[in-house]
Amino acid sequence: MIFFIRLWPEFKIRRALFRYPFIRVPFFIFSGFIDAQTGVCAVLLKFMHTMKRKLFYVLLPALAVLSGVFIMGCKDNNEPGTDPTVSGSLHLDFDNVVGNEDLKLNAQTYQNSVGESFTVSIFNYYISNFELLRADGGSFIVPQDSSYFLIRESNEASQKATINNVPVGEYTGVRFIVGIDSTRSVADESKRKGILDRFSGPTNEEAMYWDWNPGYIFVKMEGSSPAAVESPNGKYYYHIGGFGGRTVKTLNNIRTVQIDFESKKAVVTTELSPEVHVLADVLKIFDGPTQLSISEHTSVMFDDFSKNIADNYVNMFRFDDINAD
Amino acid sequence: MICLVLASVSCEKGTDSPDPGPVDPKPAPLTWTKPSHFPDPVYDLSKNPLTAEGVELGRFLFYDGILSRTDNIGCGTCHQQQAAFTHHGHDLSHGVDDKLGTRNAPSVQNMAWYTSFFWDGGVHDLDLVPPVPIQNPVEMDEKTGNVLQKLRNTPVAGAAKQVDYPKMFKAAFGTDEINGERMMKALSQFMLTMVSATSRYDYYALGDASALTTQQKEGLALFKQKCSGCHSGELFTDMGFRNNGLIPNKINDQGRYEITLNEADRLKFKVPSLRNVGLTAPYMHDGRYTSLQQVLDHYANDQASSPADSIYNSPSLDPLLKPAGKKPGVRLSATEKQSIIAFLRTLNDEQFITDKRFSDPGIGTSL
């Protein structure tokens, strides 16, 4: 919505403010200077008009996330506190599959929707910015610092995303993004510890970061295929990333996934830590809005076609089951 | 009363480690001075204050082949001081196992003023520059995580070059912890000290009219008229990205486009600084020209070797090379070219390329 403010003429701003009155609130939080007529933060608007483009693309996503957090926070009646007497844990188990089979690295040959056979040697993806959804429409936004995971097929422990300090209650779904949000993608080193550490640890070991065009690789899948005829070693490479650009607007492959727990509920109590099983189906990477052919697209990295793969893999997740504890 | 004090003192002593040893000296702050005719630096020195120990650590890291998978390619391998920290005589550089890169090694100098790094400007922070060559498969082909582990394991018994990195990190940062942030900050500290601002041109700019000859002064005037549209200011670059009309070769490097995926950025490359340009041959992003004469012939679009246009007229060709109604290029006579070259050579900074503070401390490898 902040983009509207920047790009729209005044009457559209007013209309937006009329329709979405809550956007005044985060602006108020930011500055305290609100234009009496439009309700828009005048200082912020002026700043947006005068600042250089390079700031534009860094600051806007940052503000968008901040205001988003604020708005979402308002919806939540439960304090996301850390009091152990009112919070518990929830586990999200990501099970990578190929159709109805369990994914086996290297050992097994599979077939995609265009009939090409392939193996998988690497399958990694970042998921982050979790939000647990309740039946009443409320939600619990997981504090961002505890909300980044790198799922690796080669590392079983990585496939369980544990969320602690979850307010007790019944959850009916989960929302998260595949990838790393733009704010964190340009954040200072001090905000990139653990799984986000570019220089060591899993991100570095698995080479999930582009140094030359700094940004995380959101999804990495590699393997062999007889269809990879263009490839000197018979391998295909899909390295999908792109957070939208630091100084100029570029590729944005951040995708949001929502999974509903169908008729089931994840009941979090101080004693019960439910385990939600989620399946991630590799076949969906090849089959979605775009049918991906290995022979036609043997190597896809930072290029425009990667959007199509992101639009496919956003649909690879599906709910499987919940273990009450 | 005295007894009480004594008792408390002895209690405190009791909690100390058995051998407290001497107190570690604090790293010595190093003042970074901006040359008076230069603009303000871009790098935020307050987030990484220079210290003598930090800079020294950075110098060792810069030259040490331990940064590469094969332990024999350091930053200094392709960024050699006598060539103003470029790879002398190499159009493209070769890294581990003699693998060839696709771009000419740019100079490492005056990094404090850079708004972006590399020919395509993909990196915006000096601290994030080192991982690019370290992890590039045809440069050092090593993971930074492995480099950190190798640094932690020093000194290696029996190694020809004994460097104790934990000790150096402790001297620079207070503890012997070796992590990526510290390593990059130390490298930045060293690179920030590599300021070239003592060329003959600089003495002229600071008021010594006798520092340049008549021909060099003519060259400077011509340069301001014909070249400073892109090579502007005291750094002799506008830090922009431009297509200067080089005909794409087999590498088909799309330059800035590969970062932005914006069609308008095809074939655009960073406008390089011209400081020390007389020492940094070969020229252009792929090192295709071996002399300044060839470079000026290209811009003048009148290469002696061929009647064909040297300037490749594509949609992103820089407007400054497209004079209305005329053939692309910058009109330069043979004499004018000679004057400009004479001026460009006054940007050579002998002090900079011989300054012992920037030299290999005895651990480097040159290939």
Side-chain angles (χ1 to χ4, degrees):
Chain A
M1 81 215 145
I2 290 171
F3 275 89
F4 300 161
I5 303 287
R6 173 65 172 74
L7 301 172
W8 282 5
E10 197 188 345
F11 76 92
K12 285 203 178 182
I13 295 172
R14 288 181 193 217
R15 195 171 65 192
L17 284 165
F18 178 72
R19 285 184 188 166
Y20 315 108
F22 56 82
I23 73 172
R24 292 161 198 251
V25 179
F27 285 150
F28 180 77
I29 298 298
F30 294 139
S31 76
F33 294 97
I34 305 293
D35 182 295
Q37 278 194 311
T38 61
V40 172
C41 168
V43 173
L44 191 66
L45 254 186
K46 188 162 191 297
F47 179 53
M48 284 172 163
H49 279 296
T50 52
M51 74 184 163
K52 289 179 180 160
R53 287 176 71 84
K54 68 173 181 181
L55 276 172
F56 184 69
Y57 288 106
V58 177
L59 199 76
L60 283 191
L63 291 180
V65 169
L66 277 174
S67 59
V69 166
F70 182 78
I71 293 161
M72 304 296 185
C74 289
K75 285 198 304 188
D76 199 316
N77 297 325
N78 279 3
E79 272 297 305
T82 53
D83 184 348
T85 58
V86 294
S87 64
S89 299
L90 182 144
H91 309 284
L92 288 151
D93 275 347
F94 287 84
D95 191 1
N96 299 322
V97 298
V98 186
N100 295 320
E101 300 174 57
D102 189 35
L103 172 62
K104 295 253 185 298
L105 290 182
N106 301 308
Q108 193 77 35
T109 302
Y110 307 102
Q111 203 161 61
N112 67 17
S113 61
V114 292
E116 297 164 330
S117 60
F118 65 95
T119 62
V120 180
S121 56
I122 296 177
F123 186 46
N124 298 332
Y125 49 89
Y126 283 102
I127 41 180
S128 68
N129 290 269
F130 280 80
E131 185 180 358
L132 299 173
L133 310 173
R134 289 195 302 260
D136 64 6
S139 68
F140 167 63
I141 297 178
V142 179
Q144 212 190 21
D145 283 342
S146 318
S147 208
Y148 293 93
F149 301 93
L150 175 56
I151 309 294
R152 286 149 279 165
E153 177 58 22
S154 60
N155 179 326
E156 206 179 323
S158 76
Q159 296 158 24
K160 181 185 273 197
T162 294
I163 298 167
N164 294 318
N165 302 318
V166 178
V168 296
E170 295 181 348
Y171 295 92
T172 56
V174 60
R175 193 151 47 209
F176 57 88
I177 68 173
V178 186
I180 306 293
D181 53 281
S182 56
T183 311
R184 196 67 68 140
S185 292
V186 299
D188 186 72
E189 201 49 44
S190 60
K191 298 270 180 203
R192 312 257 202 129
K193 300 294 182 197
I195 204 70
L196 295 178
D197 181 350
R198 291 167 283 187
F199 304 133
S200 52
T203 297
N204 187 252
E205 284 153 24
E206 299 282 335
M208 294 295 286
Y209 196 80
W210 282 315
D211 303 300
W212 54 278
N213 186 14
Y216 293 89
I217 296 171
F218 300 162
V219 174
K220 179 181 266 194
M221 180 170 158
E222 295 180 7
S224 294
S225 170
V229 285
E230 299 276 304
S231 168
N233 56 5
K235 286 184 74 181
Y236 66 89
Y237 299 87
Y238 300 136
H239 297 180
I240 313 300
F243 63 86
R246 174 188 289 262
T247 54
V248 288
K249 197 174 176 190
T250 63
L251 199 58
N252 188 333
N253 279 328
I254 295 171
R255 294 290 184 275
T256 303
V257 172
Q258 182 167 332
I259 298 170
D260 294 315
F261 302 157
E262 297 171 3
S263 57
K264 304 202 172 170
K265 290 187 173 80
V267 182
V268 176
T269 71
T270 51
E271 276 88 38
L272 290 179
S273 304
E275 270 188 26
V276 179
H277 289 264
V278 174
L279 304 178
D281 186 352
V282 162
L283 287 185
K284 299 283 188 191
I285 298 176
F286 292 99
D287 194 15
T290 302
Q291 260 199 339
L292 173 64
S293 152
I294 294 173
S295 69
E296 280 171 37
H297 298 281
T298 308
S299 173
V300 180
M301 297 187 185
F302 190 76
D303 61 47
D304 282 326
F305 185 79
S306 65
K307 303 178 220 191
N308 300 311
I309 297 182
D311 288 337
N312 281 359
Y313 67 55
V314 71
N315 295 317
M316 75 178 170
F317 299 96
R318 65 174 188 264
F319 173 72
D320 182 35
D321 203 359
I322 295 177
N323 260 353
D325 190 28
Chain B
M1 184 64 191
I2 290 167
C3 287
L4 272 176
V5 170
L6 279 178
S8 72
V9 165
S10 69
C11 281
E12 278 170 17
K13 279 216 158 179
T15 59
D16 271 351
S17 55
D19 178 17
V23 177
D24 290 314
K26 284 213 157 68
L30 203 72
T31 311
W32 186 90
T33 315
K34 178 182 85 66
S36 59
H37 55 312
F38 274 37
D40 286 333
V42 171
Y43 190 90
D44 181 1
L45 286 138
S46 69
K47 71 166 191 179
N48 185 16
L50 305 194
T51 62
E53 292 79 1
V55 170
E56 183 66 351
L57 170 60
R59 183 165 74 120
F60 271 74
L61 292 169
F62 185 89
Y63 283 101
D64 199 333
I66 199 168
L67 266 57
S68 66
R69 171 172 60 76
T70 50
D71 286 334
N72 64 351
I73 307 282
C75 311
T77 307
C78 300
H79 298 283
Q80 300 171 357
Q81 187 175 17
Q82 81 276 11
F85 298 97
T86 60
H87 203 177
H88 183 65
H90 289 74
D91 45 4
L92 306 175
S93 289
H94 47 114
V96 292
D97 305 331
D98 269 348
K99 287 179 181 161
L100 266 186
T102 57
R103 290 175 181 164
N104 183 252
S107 173
V108 180
Q109 58 176 346
N110 300 329
M111 302 294 262
W113 288 273
Y114 273 72
T115 51
S116 69
F117 301 86
F118 302 101
W119 282 105
D120 56 24
V123 175
H124 291 82
D125 181 348
L126 182 58
D127 296 355
L128 297 183
V129 166
V132 180
I134 291 172
Q135 305 206 127
N136 186 324
V138 300
E139 295 185 45
M140 299 184 195
D141 193 29
E142 180 62 293
K143 291 200 155 95
T144 50
N146 286 348
V147 174
L148 296 170
Q149 199 48 51
K150 288 194 284 185
L151 294 173
R152 287 178 196 123
N153 292 342
T154 60
V156 179
K161 295 155 185 165
Q162 287 292 333
V163 187
D164 185 342
Y165 280 107
K167 194 174 159 191
M168 293 187 80
F169 273 78
K170 187 172 185 181
F173 297 107
T175 68
D176 60 6
E177 185 190 343
I178 295 181
N179 61 36
E181 189 176 358
R182 285 180 168 188
M183 174 182 158
M184 303 314 158
K185 286 211 148 93
L187 277 161
S188 287
Q189 288 196 24
F190 173 59
M191 290 190 280
L192 289 165
T193 64
M194 297 161 76
V195 175
S196 172
T198 45
S199 67
R200 262 181 295 152
Y201 162 78
D202 290 298
Y203 291 113
Y204 177 78
L206 292 172
D208 179 359
S210 70
L212 299 191
T213 66
T214 310
Q215 187 197 29
Q216 289 161 350
K217 284 178 200 164
E218 275 168 22
L220 171 57
L222 282 164
F223 179 88
K224 292 233 154 128
Q225 202 186 322
K226 312 246 182 186
C227 314
S228 68
C230 309
H231 297 285
S232 58
E234 293 302 330
L235 278 301
F236 296 89
T237 167
D238 63 357
M239 301 286 171
F241 301 91
R242 295 169 185 266
N243 174 355
N244 64 351
L246 295 171
I247 299 166
N249 63 12
K250 191 179 161 204
I251 297 168
N252 197 23
D253 194 335
Q254 297 295 307
R256 181 72 177 154
Y257 170 83
E258 290 171 19
I259 301 298
T260 65
L261 302 179
N262 178 354
E263 283 301 321
D265 286 336
R266 281 202 188 271
L267 304 176
K268 288 187 181 174
F269 293 88
K270 163 87 67 60
V271 175
S273 169
L274 298 184
R275 287 195 164 268
N276 290 301
V277 72
L279 304 165
T280 62
Y283 303 107
M284 304 298 168
H285 66 268
D286 53 10
R288 67 176 65 184
Y289 295 135
T290 54
S291 68
L292 290 171
Q293 180 70 48
Q294 286 179 4
V295 171
L296 291 188
D297 288 351
H298 165 73
Y299 284 118
N301 202 6
D302 62 356
Q303 291 178 112
S305 56
S306 159
D309 265 11
S310 142
I311 290 186
Y312 172 69
N313 201 343
S314 67
S316 62
L317 178 63
D318 199 86
L320 291 174
L321 292 173
K322 283 195 283 198
K326 294 179 193 157
K327 96 173 194 170
V330 179
R331 298 288 82 80
L332 292 170
S333 72
T335 328
E336 287 175 331
K337 286 181 195 170
Q338 288 320 304
S339 301
I340 290 174
I341 290 170
F343 158 68
L344 289 174
R345 294 196 186 285
T346 71
L347 292 168
N348 292 0
D349 187 343
E350 293 296 328
Q351 251 171 278
F352 176 68
I353 63 163
T354 54
D355 193 325
K356 288 276 169 263
R357 292 175 303 158
F358 312 142
S359 301
D360 176 5
I363 54 166
T365 45
S366 292
L367 297 173

